[in-house]
Amino acid sequence: MAKADKRTPDQQKQGAALREEGSKWLARVEAAGKLEKQWMDDAERAVKAYTGETKSDDLSTSATLGNTYDFNILFANVETIVPAIINSPPAPDIRRRFADEDPAAKDVAELIERAIRTQVDDSKLQVELEGEAQDGFLAGRGIIRLRFKSDIVNDETTSEELERASDAAADGAPAEEPGSDETAGDEYRAASQPGAGPAERLANECIEFEAVSWRDYRHGPAKRWKDRPWDAFRFVVQREDEDAVFDAGLISIQTNDQEKKARGESGSDLTGWEIWDKSSRKVSSTTMASC
């Protein structure tokens, strides 16, 4: 006799809706892959020719790439062209649009240029650009993805900050007043409540660059690149990192007790798609493995 599902009716309904939405996105990703299947097959052959992995029985044609020639000319060409095209990361040049007397605008432009230069001077962008260029030459599609990264740190509120927030809240200073803080009252109330923890803020904010393989990218149908309705990026997460990456509560309401047990006993990695939907401006993650 099957055990009763421990989820409440509302949780079961919400979980069923989420699974239906996930199935919808998986179907769209699969359809996008089928639409580009011929191109991806050709790209795979090009990569095998580049790496010399092609054997005589891999292709039905007479051009048995990688097995006919003693010298891999494709590998030599790519290794020569990629460094010539991507020989250094881009150098930022931020200037005011109009060269009028505006010291503040000049300082802001210099600040932005230095910030961007700091982001690209660690050679990490150069490595990703070379990977993107190699994919572009071999497969015809090279993708660089930008990720915003930051740390969340806890700040202990000092006595001076509490006193300043208290004075601002007591005086009822308007938010537009120079030097005032429009959330000073809220900060004071939150910090002065018993058991209130330290305030959280973002630190070490930066942009990370990531070359995405053409195998791990899909997009919605569109005639122009800028009109893509959604983008999907394949990810692989180790099973032991599942709770740290995904919301355990959302997973729990989408699986019954038997599925939870199977997921816990499974040692395989989770493979899925991270989907960025332009119309809803939401990011969804859906896995292809049920267990």
Side-chain angles (χ1 to χ4, degrees):
M1 182 177 179
K3 295 183 179 180
D5 196 335
K6 295 181 180 179
R7 296 176 296 171
T8 65
D10 289 341
Q11 289 177 337
Q12 294 181 21
K13 184 177 180 180
Q14 184 180 1
L18 290 173
R19 295 191 69 155
E20 182 180 356
E21 182 180 1
S23 299
K24 176 192 69 175
W25 280 116
L26 286 178
R28 290 180 177 178
V29 171
E30 184 179 359
K34 290 181 178 179
L35 191 63
E36 296 181 331
K37 184 180 184 305
Q38 182 177 357
W39 163 72
M40 286 191 288
D41 290 343
D42 293 340
E44 195 65 51
R45 293 190 183 97
V47 172
K48 286 185 176 182
Y50 169 78
T51 58
E53 298 176 4
T54 304
K55 299 180 181 178
S56 59
D57 55 352
D58 285 345
L59 298 174
S60 58
T61 63
S62 59
T64 54
L65 301 177
N67 196 51
T68 305
Y69 308 105
D70 295 331
F71 180 72
N72 191 338
I73 189 64
L74 178 61
F75 178 87
N77 286 343
V78 172
E79 292 300 303
T80 302
I81 293 175
V82 168
I85 299 299
I86 309 295
N87 55 10
S88 63
D93 185 8
I94 310 299
R95 308 180 188 180
R96 296 167 295 171
R97 184 172 184 179
F98 305 104
D100 49 0
E101 292 296 333
D102 191 349
K106 182 179 180 180
D107 292 341
V108 171
E110 185 176 359
L111 178 65
I112 296 175
E113 180 176 326
R114 290 184 178 184
I116 297 176
R117 191 179 298 277
T118 301
Q119 292 285 319
V120 301
D121 277 353
D122 57 1
S123 300
K124 293 182 179 179
L125 175 59
Q126 176 67 16
V127 173
E128 302 302 321
L129 284 175
E130 291 177 357
E132 176 262 348
Q134 182 171 309
D135 278 351
F137 278 108
L138 290 176
R141 174 181 291 169
I143 301 171
I144 290 286
R145 186 180 184 187
L146 275 63
R147 292 178 179 269
F148 173 77
K149 293 289 185 179
S150 65
D151 297 329
I152 298 178
V153 298
N154 295 327
D155 281 346
E156 295 290 345
T157 305
T158 63
S159 57
E160 290 80 4
E161 291 173 341
L162 284 174
E163 184 178 354
R164 185 170 63 252
S166 176
D167 293 342
D171 296 341
E176 296 78 13
E177 182 179 343
S180 65
D181 188 353
E182 61 180 349
T183 60
D186 294 337
E187 291 178 355
Y188 170 73
R189 285 189 291 271
S192 60
Q193 289 179 355
E200 294 182 345
R201 66 177 178 87
L202 296 180
N204 303 324
E205 299 172 79
C206 65
I207 299 296
E208 290 188 353
F209 307 97
E210 175 187 350
V212 180
S213 172
W214 53 270
R215 301 180 182 90
D216 300 329
Y217 174 77
R218 303 287 187 273
H219 64 83
K223 292 185 177 181
R224 296 179 179 271
W225 185 253
K226 65 182 181 66
D227 296 331
R228 305 181 318 279
W230 52 267
D231 296 297
F233 303 90
R234 196 200 316 263
F235 64 81
V236 179
V237 176
Q238 294 183 350
R239 181 68 62 170
E240 52 268 24
D241 297 333
E242 178 181 1
D243 293 338
V245 176
F246 300 111
D247 189 335
L250 289 179
I251 295 177
S252 178
I253 64 175
Q254 297 181 66
T255 53
N256 56 36
D257 294 340
Q258 293 180 349
E259 291 172 334
K260 290 184 178 70
K261 182 179 179 181
R263 291 177 71 94
E265 295 175 350
S266 176
S268 60
D269 294 337
L270 289 170
T271 303
W273 294 90
E274 178 185 338
I275 302 160
W276 293 66
D277 185 23
K278 183 184 293 186
S279 61
S280 64
R281 301 182 64 86
K282 292 182 179 180
V283 180
S284 305
S285 296
T286 179
T287 58
M288 293 182 289
S290 59
C291 299

